[in-house]
């Protein structure tokens, strides 16, 4: 009787212990789940804060300080009225009278420094010039390209298409670079005096024609003894008046 009661008591204690152990395990799992759920938004918030705080701040790019190419042509602290046209911008007055003096209001371009007659720095000034377009200037006021493909000694005299540029110190209306038809005026280095001297002294042997680069005519004069003197006399006259020139078509010097 006593032994049975002891066994039932032991069974009750074991059941209670088992119940308490299971309860502790379940409570531990619940706590871990709650900790995980609470920690997730905190970690997400911390991540968002971290990513936001580590973003590189935006700064506006600094303005370019590159010097314009026209500065090379602009003398520093010189007279504003003597500046090249590339260093200024002017209010062009196309209603001026052709060939008459005209005054234009101008302003220096950025990075250009100039002074007036009293050595005071200024930006706005006036210039005086003759009212005419750039292609109407005198030939000494612009520079043109040369052509070595046209014949200078020909009848009629040949022309070629040249590209002309106004000199830096000259002011004019319109484009400063313009096309123009010019006479062929290039030279290959042949001297008129040398050709004439050879024609008079050694023309019977074709020396004048050889000098001018005309080999076929030179051989013809050589083997015909200057056309028995007639060809020699004719060449003296033709070279003397400049009708016969270098074979490359260039001018005498």
């Amino acid at each position: 009787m006593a032994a049975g009661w002891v066994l039932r008591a032991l069974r009750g204690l074991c059941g209670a212990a088992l119940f308490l152990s299971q309860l502790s395990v379940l409570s531990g799992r619940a706590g871990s789940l709650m900790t995980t759920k609470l920690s997730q938004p905190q970690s997400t918030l911390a991540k968002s804060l971290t990513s936001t705080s580590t973003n590189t701040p935006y700064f506006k790019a600094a303005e370019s300080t590159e010097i314009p190419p026209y500065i090379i042509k602009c003398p520093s602290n010189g007279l504003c009225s003597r500046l090249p046209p590339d260093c200024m911008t002017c209010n062009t007055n196309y209603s001026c009278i052709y060939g008459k003096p005209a005054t234009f209001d101008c302003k220096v371009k950025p990075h250009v420094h100039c002074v007036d007659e009293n050595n005071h720095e200024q930006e706005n000034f006036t210039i005086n010039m003759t009212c005419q377009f750039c292609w109407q200037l005198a030939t000494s006021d612009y520079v043109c390209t040369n052509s070595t493909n046209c014949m200078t000694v020909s009848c009629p005299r040949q022309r070629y298409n040249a590209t002309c540029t106004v000199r830096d110190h000259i002011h004019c209306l319109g484009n400063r670079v313009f096309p123009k038809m010019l006479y062929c005026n290039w030279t290959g280095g042949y001297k008129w005096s040398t050709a004439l001297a050879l024609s008079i002294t050694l023309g019977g042997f074709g020396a004048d024609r050889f000098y001018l680069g005309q080999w076929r005519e030179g051989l013809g004069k050589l083997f015909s003894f200057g056309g028995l003197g007639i060809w020699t006399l004719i060449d003296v006259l033709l070279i003397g008046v400049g009708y016969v020139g270098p074979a490359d078509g260039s001018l005498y010097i």
Side-chain angles (χ1 to χ4, degrees):
M1 187 71 179
W5 182 84
V6 172
L7 291 174
R8 285 195 298 270
L10 290 174
R11 289 177 181 175
L13 291 174
C14 290
L18 181 61
F19 175 77
L20 291 175
S21 63
Q22 291 178 352
L23 183 61
S24 63
V25 171
L26 291 175
S27 62
R29 290 182 177 178
S32 63
L33 290 174
M34 291 177 64
T35 304
T36 303
K37 290 182 179 179
L38 291 174
S39 61
Q40 282 182 352
Q42 292 178 356
S43 61
T44 305
L45 179 59
K47 183 177 180 181
S48 63
L49 290 175
T50 304
S51 61
T52 304
S53 61
T54 55
N55 285 337
T56 303
Y58 174 76
F59 293 101
K60 186 177 180 180
E63 295 182 358
S64 176
T65 58
E66 184 179 357
I67 299 177
Y70 58 78
I71 293 296
I72 301 176
K73 298 182 179 180
C74 305
S76 180
N77 295 326
L79 287 176
C80 295
S81 58
R82 298 292 182 87
L83 287 175
D86 292 337
C87 306
M88 66 180 77
T89 55
C90 300
N91 296 325
T92 305
N93 181 16
Y94 288 98
S95 62
C96 59
I97 301 176
Y98 172 73
K100 298 294 183 179
T103 302
F104 296 92
D105 295 327
C106 301
K107 181 179 180 180
V108 294
K109 291 184 178 180
H111 304 285
V112 177
H113 302 281
C114 63
V115 296
D116 58 10
E117 296 179 354
N118 297 324
N119 204 27
H120 296 154
E121 187 172 355
Q122 61 177 175
E123 294 184 357
N124 301 307
F125 56 96
T126 60
I127 60 171
N128 298 318
M129 55 175 283
T130 303
C131 180
Q132 60 183 345
F133 287 96
C134 294
W135 58 270
Q136 297 173 321
L137 293 171
T139 55
S140 59
D141 293 336
Y142 54 82
V143 179
C144 300
T145 57
N146 290 324
S147 174
T148 58
N149 297 324
C150 59
M151 301 289 291
T152 59
V153 182
S154 63
C155 187
R157 190 175 176 184
Q158 292 185 4
R159 294 172 178 257
Y160 70 97
N161 291 318
T163 301
C164 302
T165 305
V166 181
R167 298 184 184 274
D168 289 339
H169 64 282
I170 302 298
H171 296 275
C172 55
L173 302 177
N175 296 327
R176 299 184 62 81
V177 179
F178 54 90
K180 196 167 188 177
M181 291 289 294
L182 298 177
Y183 284 110
C184 299
N185 59 351
W186 66 285
T187 178
Y190 296 94
K191 292 184 177 181
W192 173 81
S193 58
T194 302
L196 183 60
L198 290 174
S199 182
I200 295 173
T201 56
L202 300 174
F205 302 99
D208 50 354
R209 294 282 184 164
F210 286 127
Y211 171 73
L212 297 175
Q214 302 175 5
W215 295 96
R216 289 179 296 180
E217 291 81 354
L219 291 174
K221 290 182 69 175
L222 176 63
F223 291 110
S224 66
F225 298 103
L228 299 178
I230 299 176
W231 194 349
T232 301
L233 294 176
I234 294 175
D235 273 357
V236 171
L237 294 175
L238 294 180
I239 294 175
V241 299
Y243 185 81
V244 173
D248 58 5
S250 63
L251 290 175
Y252 288 115
I253 59 175

